[in-house]
Amino acid sequence: MADREKVAHLLRRATFGPTAEEVDAAESKGPAATLDALFSPPDPDAGAARTPLPKLGPVLNDKTDRAEQIRTVGTWWLDRMAQAGHQVHEKLTFFWHGHWATSADKVKSGPLMLGQQQTLFRTALGDFATQVHAMLRDPALIIWLDGQKNTDKAPNENLARELMELFTLGVGHYTEQDVREGARALTGWVVDQKAGTATLNAKRHDDKPKTILGRTADFDADGFADVLLAQPACPEFVARRLWLRYCSDAPIPQDVLDTAKTQKTTAAVLRSLLAADGHAELVKQPVEWLAGALRQLQIRPGELPDAQRKQLLNALNQLGQVPLRPPSVGGWPAGAAWLTTSATQGRFKLAQTLAARAPQPVLDRLTAVPAAQRPTALARLLVIDAFTDRTLAALTPAANDARRLLTLGLASPEYAIN
C-alpha cells in the first residue's frame, strides 16, 4: 500500500473526514509522523473561536422551547465537528457520547446535555478514571439512569448495573449482588436542573458497609468507581470498545490488546490501536459521514439559515443517528446496520442537499479538469482511494454536472466505508 493510501486511511479513521489538503500534508510527512501529528496538533484549539459555546439561558419548562434548546446544542456540535482543529479530540468526544449514551429524550434539557458534552470533551483524551469519576456526578447521566431516584430507603439499580455492564467492565465480570451493593454506594445524588448541578444529599445516602467485587467498605460513588477501575477487565473493556469503533469489528488481536491495556491515557490507548490497525473496512456512522462531508465541502452548519440547520438534524434522524439522542443506553448500532436500503436512500437524499449547498470553489475543483478526469478529481476531493468500475459507470454520465457528480460520489458505496 502506497504512503498516500496509508495516511489517507489513518486520517479517515482518526478524524471525522480528512480534506485532500490534509492528505497531501500527511503524505509528505509519512505515516509515522502523521500519527504523531494527529495526537499533537500544532494548534489544538483551531476552530474553537469559530464555534463558541451556545448561549442557552436558563432551563426552560415549555416543551417547544426545551426542544429548540436541544436542537441548538445538536447543530452547534455538528458545526464544532466540522471546524475542530484537533480532530482526534473531537471524534473521541463523540465516541464517548456513544459509550456513555445519554438521550435528551429523557433528560429534556439542552443545558444539561451541553454540560455532559463538555465533560466528555474535557476528559476524552486523559485517563479513564478521571472520566468515570466525573460522569458519576454528571446531572444528565444521573437523570437518564434514574440516579436521582436512588435512595437508602429505595435503592435503584439502573446506574450501578450500566456502570458495570456498559461503561467499565462488560458482561460476565460482576454478579447481581454486586449490582445491588453498587446501587447502595450510589444512593443520595440529586440533580438541580436549573443550576445544572448534581450534589450528594447525605440524608438519602446509605453509608453502611457494602461488599462489591470481593471488597468491603463504606463505599460511596468514588469508592465504587475505584473498585471497578482496579479490575483487570476494565482497561481491556475500554480497549475493545475503541478497537471496535476505530479499527475493526473482528476481535482485537491479543498482542494489540496487551499493549493497549497498559497505556495510561485514552489518547495513548487509541494511538496504539491506530498504529496496529489492520485496515479492515468499517462502515461510517451517519454523523461521521455527515461531518466528514461538511469538512470536505467547506459547509458550516453554524452559517446556514435556521431552517437548513434543522434540515441536517432531520436528515440524521431519518438515518437513525442524531447527536444527543442515542436510542438506548447501549448506544448506536455499528457495521451493516447502517447499510440498509432505507439508509442508502437517506444518504442519497442528504447528499443531494449537501451538493446543492456546496460553494463554488469546491465545484470549481471538479470542473477545472476535463470531463473524463472529473471522477478522479472527485475521488481526491472526497479522499476515496479509488472508485470501482461499477461506480465509475454511474459517475461518468454525470461528469458535466458538478453537483450531480458530487451527489453520486457522496452517496457511493466507497464513501460509506472507512
Side-chain angles (χ1 to χ4, degrees):
M1 183 182 291
D3 270 4
R4 186 174 184 84
E5 292 181 357
K6 289 179 181 178
V7 296
H9 175 85
L10 174 59
L11 291 172
R12 284 193 296 264
R13 290 292 170 88
T15 76
F16 278 114
T19 65
E21 291 75 18
E22 287 168 343
V23 177
D24 290 343
E27 183 181 16
S28 67
K29 295 175 183 175
T34 296
L35 186 60
D36 289 340
L38 280 168
F39 288 86
S40 300
D43 185 3
D45 294 324
R50 297 189 295 276
T51 56
L53 293 179
K55 297 178 180 178
L56 299 177
V59 174
L60 302 171
N61 294 323
D62 181 78
K63 181 178 179 181
T64 302
D65 290 340
R66 287 201 309 266
E68 183 58 35
Q69 282 190 334
I70 292 165
R71 278 195 298 270
T72 295
V73 177
T75 54
W76 165 82
W77 200 356
L78 279 177
D79 196 42
R80 185 79 183 92
M81 292 173 191
Q83 291 295 306
H86 196 343
Q87 279 283 300
V88 167
H89 194 170
E90 200 64 39
K91 188 172 182 178
L92 196 51
T93 301
F94 190 70
F95 163 83
W96 287 125
H97 175 40
H99 183 86
W100 299 92
T102 302
S103 176
D105 288 341
K106 182 174 179 179
V107 177
K108 301 184 186 303
S109 167
L112 292 190
M113 294 304 297
L114 178 61
Q116 184 182 93
Q117 191 275 347
Q118 286 293 286
T119 295
L120 295 175
F121 183 80
R122 287 193 302 271
T123 62
L125 297 168
D127 68 289
F128 185 55
T130 298
Q131 185 174 81
V132 172
H133 284 282
M135 289 303 291
L136 287 179
R137 290 164 167 75
D138 178 71
L141 185 71
I142 290 171
I143 292 173
W144 173 235
L145 291 175
D146 302 316
Q148 80 279 16
K149 299 177 182 178
N150 188 12
T151 70
D152 59 337
K153 301 266 192 295
N156 185 293
E157 298 176 1
N158 286 359
L159 180 53
R161 182 180 303 280
E162 306 307 354
L163 180 62
M164 289 189 277
E165 179 177 335
L166 295 177
F167 304 154
T168 62
L169 301 181
V171 176
H173 295 285
Y174 61 90
T175 67
E176 287 300 306
Q177 182 64 18
D178 293 323
V179 173
R180 288 188 286 273
E181 296 288 273
R184 293 176 57 213
L186 297 176
T187 53
W189 285 89
V190 293
V191 173
D192 183 334
Q193 291 211 33
K194 289 187 177 181
T197 58
T199 56
L200 181 65
N201 183 334
K203 294 180 179 179
R204 293 160 57 103
H205 175 65
D206 183 340
D207 60 0
K208 299 178 180 63
K210 302 105 182 164
T211 300
I212 304 172
L213 294 170
R215 291 184 55 188
T216 301
D218 299 339
F219 291 120
D220 57 8
D222 287 330
F224 181 23
D226 288 338
V227 171
L228 301 182
L229 291 161
Q231 300 300 304
C234 184
E236 293 188 0
F237 179 76
V238 173
R240 286 192 173 98
R241 290 293 294 267
L242 286 163
W243 175 264
L244 177 67
R245 176 64 187 86
Y246 279 88
C247 298
S248 175
D249 54 10
I252 183 172
Q254 188 61 49
D255 62 326
V256 176
L257 177 60
D258 289 343
T259 298
K261 70 183 184 182
T262 64
Q263 304 304 311
K264 301 301 183 184
T265 66
T266 299
V269 174
L270 179 58
R271 181 190 171 108
S272 74
L273 297 179
L274 291 172
D277 183 6
H279 297 256
E281 289 186 343
L282 284 179
V283 180
K284 293 178 183 177
Q285 295 181 322
V287 167
E288 180 183 8
W289 182 95
L290 175 58
L294 292 170
R295 298 193 79 231
Q296 292 160 346
L297 272 57
Q298 301 173 25
I299 298 172
R300 282 205 56 187
E303 294 179 345
L304 295 175
D306 185 59
Q308 293 179 18
R309 292 199 299 270
K310 290 180 180 178
Q311 187 179 24
L312 291 180
L313 290 182
N314 289 339
L316 285 176
N317 186 51
Q318 293 174 0
L319 288 171
Q321 188 180 43
V322 181
L324 312 181
R325 297 186 184 276
S328 73
V329 70
W332 288 284
W338 302 118
L339 295 179
T340 63
T341 300
S342 62
T344 300
Q345 293 171 342
R347 281 195 301 274
F348 182 81
K349 185 176 180 180
L350 182 50
Q352 288 179 309
T353 299
L354 295 174
R357 306 272 181 268
Q360 191 60 44
V362 172
L363 302 177
D364 290 344
R365 295 170 68 175
L366 300 177
T367 57
V369 299
Q373 298 175 22
R374 287 173 190 170
T376 300
L378 177 66
R380 185 180 186 281
L381 174 68
L382 300 181
V383 191
I384 294 171
D385 293 335
F387 289 114
T388 64
D389 290 343
R390 183 175 180 178
T391 300
L392 284 172
L395 294 174
T396 301
N400 289 318
D401 184 339
R403 294 192 191 276
R404 174 69 176 170
L405 185 66
L406 190 52
T407 296
L408 294 175
L410 291 169
S412 68
E414 291 84 350
Y415 195 70
I417 302 294
N418 262 341

